[in-house]
Amino acid sequence: MATLMATVEKVRFQGERRMVLHGISWELYEQLREGEENWGIRMTYDRGTLELMSPSCDHEAIKELICQMIEALTEEMDLPRRSLGSTTWKRRDLDKGLEPDGCYYLLNHHRVCRRRAVDLEVDPPPDLAVETEISRSALKRMQIYAALGVPEVWRWRKRGLTAFSLDADGKYVEREFSLNLPMLRVRDLEPFLEFEVSANETAWIRKFRVWVRERFVNR
């Protein structure tokens, strides 16, 4: 059993709780990540620093809306998709790991669709990750996504939903249209994220599907 020798920082913001541990080895990170008692905790690891996060209701609600829209849009347009939720993506050689709020294989669906387990040492990373920020992470999660090679990240913050894609230098640049769903101007989804609009998700997703059909399918 590894011994926890670390300095600890605790942060609480709008219902989210974060704890940052410094001086954590890769082996201890993996041990904590695999512990059954920690399965509900989001972990971000970067070169010896480990952040533990307990998401708020607001965080989970917004994340679910964004993911439901991605799934409904791909279904209505009959686009291949593999959804892997908040899978832990990590690479020991990079000394980095995290769980997205949601992730999808779209353009590379054909490369992983028959794999029960995806291994970043031989398989591509997810094509699209969803990152919801209610409170700011102590770690630079976008840099971790970039190091792992995730081509596109949709990032929700108070000022809205923004798509980013990796450029030739391995840095994220803002995009107007999605890399994986090039017909979609990502900011056009923002009205569907308003609290009052999505209060009844059953009715809300029906309206979104009608919007998709009118905008993209029945043209």
Side-chain angles (χ1 to χ4, degrees), residues 178-191:
S178 170
L179 175 68
N180 284 274
L181 302 167
M183 76 296 294
L184 177 67
R185 181 184 289 107
V186 175
R187 284 196 177 273
D188 288 347
L189 301 180
E190 288 182 358

Side-chain angles (χ1 to χ4, degrees), residues 4-40:
L4 179 59
M5 297 292 293
T7 57
V8 180
E9 302 172 21
K10 294 183 179 180
V11 177
R12 187 182 183 96
F13 181 79
Q14 292 186 356
E16 289 192 346
R17 292 176 292 176
R18 296 181 183 271
M19 178 182 295
V20 181
L21 309 175
H22 301 279
I24 303 298
S25 67
W26 180 265
E27 291 75 16
L28 182 53
Y29 161 54
E30 288 196 315
Q31 180 180 319
L32 292 170
R33 180 64 287 170
E34 293 169 7
E36 185 175 350
E37 68 278 9
N38 296 326
W39 286 355

Side-chain angles (χ1 to χ4, degrees), residues 15-151:
E16 289 192 346
R17 292 176 292 176
R18 296 181 183 271
M19 178 182 295
V20 181
L21 309 175
H22 301 279
I24 303 298
S25 67
W26 180 265
E27 291 75 16
L28 182 53
Y29 161 54
E30 288 196 315
Q31 180 180 319
L32 292 170
R33 180 64 287 170
E34 293 169 7
E36 185 175 350
E37 68 278 9
N38 296 326
W39 286 355
I41 299 174
R42 304 285 175 83
M43 296 188 183
T44 305
Y45 183 80
D46 190 3
R47 296 168 296 178
T49 300
L50 175 64
E51 180 181 68
L52 313 178
M53 193 269 274
S54 176
S56 65
C57 290
D58 198 21
H59 179 283
E60 293 298 276
I62 294 168
K63 176 263 292 188
E64 287 294 331
L65 295 179
I66 296 170
C67 291
Q68 285 184 63
M69 286 193 287
I70 293 170
E71 292 157 16
L73 190 148
T74 53
E75 289 162 14
E76 292 294 335
M77 299 192 69
D78 197 24
L79 300 174
R81 181 193 82 230
R82 187 174 185 193
S83 310
L84 290 180
S86 294
T87 297
T88 299
W89 301 105
K90 59 185 179 179
R91 280 182 47 182
R92 182 167 188 164
D93 60 323
L94 299 173
D95 213 20
K96 300 177 188 294
L98 52 59
E99 291 92 37
D101 287 314
C103 65
Y104 302 91
Y105 283 94
L106 298 168
L107 295 180
N108 278 310
H109 173 267
H110 63 287
R111 297 179 62 181
V112 300
C113 61
R114 289 180 172 81
R115 288 188 179 275
R116 191 171 296 275
V118 179
D119 182 355
L120 291 189
E121 292 191 7
V122 295
D123 297 313
D127 294 307
L128 172 61
V130 174
E131 183 75 0
T132 305
E133 293 184 8
I134 300 299
S135 61
R136 185 175 294 275
S137 171
L139 300 180
K140 296 180 179 179
R141 285 173 58 89
M142 294 295 283
Q143 291 184 10
I144 298 175
Y145 282 119
L148 295 174
V150 176

